[in-house]
Amino acid sequence: MELTENALKVLRTRYLMKDEKGNVIESPEDMFRRVARSIARVEKHYNEDADYWQESFFNLMTSLKFLPNSPALMNAGKSMGQLAACFVLPVEDSMKSIFDTLKNAALILQSGGGTGFSFSRLRPKADIVRSTGGIASGPVSFMRIYNMATDVIKQGGARRGANMGILRIDHPDILEFIQVKRNERELNNFNISVAVTDAFMEALKRDQEYDLINPRSGEVVGRLRAKIVFDEIVESAWETGDPGLIFVERINSANPTPHLGQIESTNPCGEQPLLPYEACILGSMNLSKYVKDGVIDYYSLGSDIRIAIRFLDDSIDANIYPLPEIERMHRGNRKIGLGVMGWADMLILLRIPYNHSKAFELASRIMKFISGKSREASAELAEKRGVFPNFKGSIYDAPAMPRVRNATTTTIAPTGTLSLIAGCSSGIEPLFAIAYKRLVLDTELNEINQYFLEVAQKMGFYTDEVMNKVIKSGNLKGIKEIPKDIRRLFKTALEIPPEDHIEMQIAFQEYTDNAVSKTINLPNRAKKESVAKALLLAYEKGLKGITIFRYGAKRGTLVKFADSD
């Protein structure tokens, strides 16, 4: 296996099995064998050759062409056995529900999963509590309790505690929610997003007020000028990177099982909208492995997608669920999410700049291919194993629709440490920098882009002086010794205009069942107007959600330039 030194560091820190003294007792090959064996056992239930599929899964993972989400690598074959990355739990308007959900979230976080919650059903601050005669403390106060609990759990030290907190734009406490993370000590274990409605966007467009609704009574209890609320979102997003936006009606228009309820929340990175108690197991194809002599090997990619979809579907049956309600929902809808990593690398290998029209066209074409092959593979499995149990009443329960095994098959995840293991670029992001430091738990890793090193040596501009300039600035801007076309090819995230980041997200979203994790990176000097423009453009262009991050907007950034403190 071609594992980098940084990949080995991460595997030893987080993934490989340890004895009671904390000594690593597993090699990377052993880990992949453990995972392949555990997932392939399921094949016996369907009278298939488990040994054959174990080898297929093992070979696909050890080639680093496909990796499942982190909990599968960490937990498969162990007593914990929890394999899913994404969960959404309901928070109802009662003390019992709030604390039952917190207990359930603790079990999920401990297993390496990430949890999403909508707090929109909780009555607003200062509302009456009839049972006690007291007054309510509001959603943000309970988010603080969830945040503190996550701090204590820290996911057993194997993953950062990750939560998504969502509040509807028409909740009376919306301004407190939007502003809360301006205090950098608040909600450090939460990403937060505002669930934005079409009615709000229409009021914003017309510069009008909109209604605030008390979720306890369903009554209108106030009005706010949409522009004031939007400006507060822009201010907070500019200052801290939070909140993001999710366009909740757009997400529900793509809900494959509307007969089971409305989607109110997503997982922590926003790429997986889920119903209450739903889970999803993710995996990603490493696109950098499918370029041969400057051409995409679609044949190999197609056949590997078939194996990856089977792996993810088997994982649903192999999973040891933290709660019976989650098992019932996940086995009922059998949602999986196959995505990609190494996209920026693929473009470099094809000599296409990230923000060129050819890159957007290719993104759309390749995701259409992945989506088509994923659905074909799901339909193949359905022929032998049956459609997902909640099929009746779903969007697929119609004459022209395919009979599929899985309610969803595609998701674009951020692939943080997975891409580090695979030695490729993250998700569909551009290169963050040519040289940078990355913080993984408490381990700081220095990285320099291997493709750039190869090109520099091959084209003869590699010198210590040039490399020192690159390491210092993190990008190639203004380094005259480097040819202009190479500087264009290796453009980094902060050099790419926000409109082009959004264009890339749109290209992938068009053919993705679930949603797309993508950060709209802005340089530190970016003005608030750029943030506002990006948020509006995301809605106009039809995205399901958007996250903006201005470099250096908060301390403890996980990826930073090599010369940063």
Side-chain angles (χ1 to χ4, degrees):
M1 286 178 67
E2 297 171 25
L3 292 168
T4 65
E5 192 51 46
N6 282 347
L8 288 167
K9 276 184 197 170
V10 169
L11 285 166
R12 288 185 201 115
T13 306
R14 286 179 51 168
Y15 293 86
L16 302 180
M17 285 176 77
K18 296 180 174 79
D19 63 18
E20 288 174 4
K21 293 177 181 173
N23 301 312
V24 173
I25 55 169
E26 185 177 54
S27 70
E29 285 85 353
D30 292 337
M31 177 192 74
F32 287 121
R33 180 63 69 191
R34 164 173 58 80
V35 175
R37 188 188 308 116
S38 172
I39 306 304
R41 273 194 200 124
V42 168
E43 294 288 339
K44 290 177 186 171
H45 301 311
Y46 300 108
N47 300 314
E48 297 282 355
D49 184 345
D51 291 340
Y52 170 82
W53 287 106
Q54 183 187 149
E55 283 309 305
S56 297
F57 297 157
F58 178 76
N59 291 336
L60 188 59
M61 288 187 289
T62 52
S63 68
L64 303 176
K65 289 179 173 178
F66 161 82
L67 291 177
N69 53 211
S70 288
L73 295 179
M74 291 169 179
N75 300 332
K78 298 182 189 175
S79 56
M80 167 82 75
Q82 197 294 102
L83 308 176
C86 308
F87 297 82
V88 162
L89 294 175
V91 184
E92 300 295 338
D93 190 32
S94 74
M95 205 59 86
K96 184 179 186 308
S97 171
I98 290 164
F99 283 94
D100 279 351
T101 292
L102 179 56
K103 177 190 73 178
N104 294 338
L107 296 172
I108 290 166
L109 291 168
Q110 192 180 28
S111 75
T115 41
F117 317 90
S118 170
F119 293 93
S120 301
R121 292 173 182 263
L122 300 189
R123 68 192 72 189
K125 187 188 271 192
D127 196 38
I128 194 78
V129 181
R130 289 210 177 100
S131 59
T132 62
I135 58 167
S137 56
V140 172
S141 66
F142 288 111
M143 289 178 73
R144 290 188 177 109
I145 295 169
Y146 278 43
N147 186 68
M148 196 181 297
T150 307
D151 238 0
V152 174
I153 299 156
K154 285 286 186 197
Q155 292 181 312
R159 297 189 86 190
R160 284 174 193 279
N163 300 304
M164 170 64 85
I166 286 177
L167 198 70
R168 280 179 65 96
I169 195 89
D170 52 15
H171 192 284
D173 289 358
I174 191 61
L175 287 174
E176 183 191 10
F177 177 83
I178 288 165
Q179 294 162 357
V180 65
K181 289 193 75 176
R182 290 185 200 170
N183 179 341
E184 63 178 32
R185 291 189 296 278
E186 290 272 28
L187 303 183
N188 289 323
N189 298 305
F190 269 94
N191 293 329
I192 64 170
S193 281
V194 176
V196 173
T197 60
D198 293 340
F200 172 82
M201 293 306 290
E202 190 59 30
L204 179 63
K205 190 176 166 185
R206 296 172 185 272
D207 194 14
Q208 292 173 341
E209 292 186 334
Y210 73 103
D211 293 340
L212 299 177
I213 298 161
N214 184 331
R216 176 183 58 79
S217 62
E219 292 170 5
V220 174
V221 292
R223 287 172 69 76
L224 282 173
R225 188 175 159 217
K227 175 81 166 68
I228 289 170
V229 178
F230 183 73
D231 287 348
E232 288 298 321
I233 291 170
V234 168
E235 176 69 38
S236 291
W238 180 85
E239 203 176 304
T240 71
D242 277 302
L245 302 183
I246 66 160
F247 302 113
V248 69
E249 282 139 325
R250 194 165 286 150
I251 280 174
N252 275 293
S253 69
N255 177 2
T257 55
H259 60 304
L260 299 180
Q262 293 283 294
I263 292 170
E264 296 178 26
S265 186
T266 74
N267 72 316
C269 292
E271 77 273 16
Q272 193 61 54
L274 293 167
L275 292 164
Y277 289 120
E278 251 194 323
C280 192
I281 296 176
L282 310 181
S284 298
M285 307 303 301
N286 178 358
L287 293 178
S288 70
K289 296 285 187 184
Y290 294 96
V291 179
K292 289 181 182 171
D293 303 321
V295 176
I296 298 170
D297 183 357
Y298 279 104
Y299 179 80
S300 293
L301 179 57
S303 58
D304 288 348
I305 286 167
R306 192 169 156 266
I307 300 168
I309 291 292
R310 193 178 191 110
F311 176 102
L312 294 173
D313 187 66
D314 282 352
S315 298
I316 296 169
D317 297 332
N319 200 0
I320 298 172
Y321 289 87
L323 294 169
E325 297 93 331
I326 291 172
E327 181 166 11
R328 197 158 47 246
M329 279 298 283
H330 198 196
R331 285 178 181 266
N333 290 342
R334 301 192 72 85
K335 279 187 180 174
I336 56 175
L338 184 66
V340 300
M341 54 186 168
W343 169 238
D345 298 334
M346 174 179 259
L347 291 173
I348 288 165
L349 291 166
L350 295 170
R351 292 289 190 264
I352 302 171
Y354 185 91
N355 62 330
H356 194 282
S357 59
K358 282 184 182 173
F360 306 137
E361 287 161 22
L362 181 61
S364 186
R365 193 159 69 243
I366 205 154
M367 201 59 214
K368 185 180 183 181
F369 177 84
I370 291 167
S371 177
K373 291 295 177 188
S374 296
R375 208 162 279 175
E376 276 174 33
S378 183
E380 261 178 50
L381 289 172
E383 277 179 37
K384 292 183 180 177
R385 303 178 179 184
V387 295
F388 61 94
N390 295 331
F391 186 89
K392 193 165 175 54
S394 76
I395 60 167
Y396 295 102
D397 185 18
M401 295 297 280
R403 292 181 60 76
V404 288
R405 176 79 171 152
N406 313 94
T408 64
T409 58
T410 48
T411 300
I412 304 288
T415 73
T417 46
L418 288 186
S419 56
L420 215 156
I421 294 167
C424 66
S425 57
S426 299
I428 61 161
E429 300 292 356
L431 301 179
F432 174 75
I434 308 302
Y436 56 89
K437 294 180 197 174
R438 187 202 292 258
L439 193 65
V440 177
L441 284 184
D442 296 323
T443 308
E444 192 166 82
L445 306 174
N446 290 298
E447 298 203 4
I448 189 152
N449 187 273
Q450 289 306 303
Y451 295 109
F452 173 70
L453 285 177
E454 285 168 25
V455 167
Q457 285 162 345
K458 194 188 268 184
M459 293 185 70
F461 60 79
Y462 181 100
T463 65
D464 289 346
E465 190 187 348
V466 166
M467 293 316 293
N468 284 336
K469 284 182 183 178
V470 172
I471 288 165
K472 194 163 187 219
S473 65
N475 60 47
L476 311 184
K477 207 171 174 183
I479 304 176
K480 294 188 173 60
E481 298 92 326
I482 299 172
K484 193 183 276 186
D485 60 332
I486 299 301
R487 279 183 273 161
R488 198 178 301 125
L489 184 64
F490 284 91
K491 253 190 192 175
T492 57
L494 299 179
E495 297 174 85
I496 292 166
E499 305 81 61
D500 291 344
H501 281 284
I502 289 170
E503 201 61 46
M504 190 62 79
Q505 188 172 337
I506 290 158
F508 276 98
Q509 181 63 79
E510 188 183 355
Y511 295 104
T512 301
D513 291 340
N514 294 304
V516 175
S517 174
K518 169 91 185 74
T519 304
I520 311 305
N521 292 102
L522 297 174
N524 185 262
R525 66 177 183 279
K527 301 277 192 294
K528 288 166 196 170
E529 291 78 12
S530 297
V531 173
K533 194 175 162 192
L535 295 176
L536 293 171
L537 186 63
Y539 180 75
E540 284 163 25
K541 291 277 193 173
L543 289 182
K544 290 181 179 177
I546 180 169
T547 303
I548 287 174
F549 187 70
R550 185 174 61 90
Y551 181 73
K554 64 173 90 163
R555 287 186 193 165
T557 304
L558 297 182
V559 183
K560 55 189 179 180
F561 299 129
D563 69 341
S564 303
D565 294 326

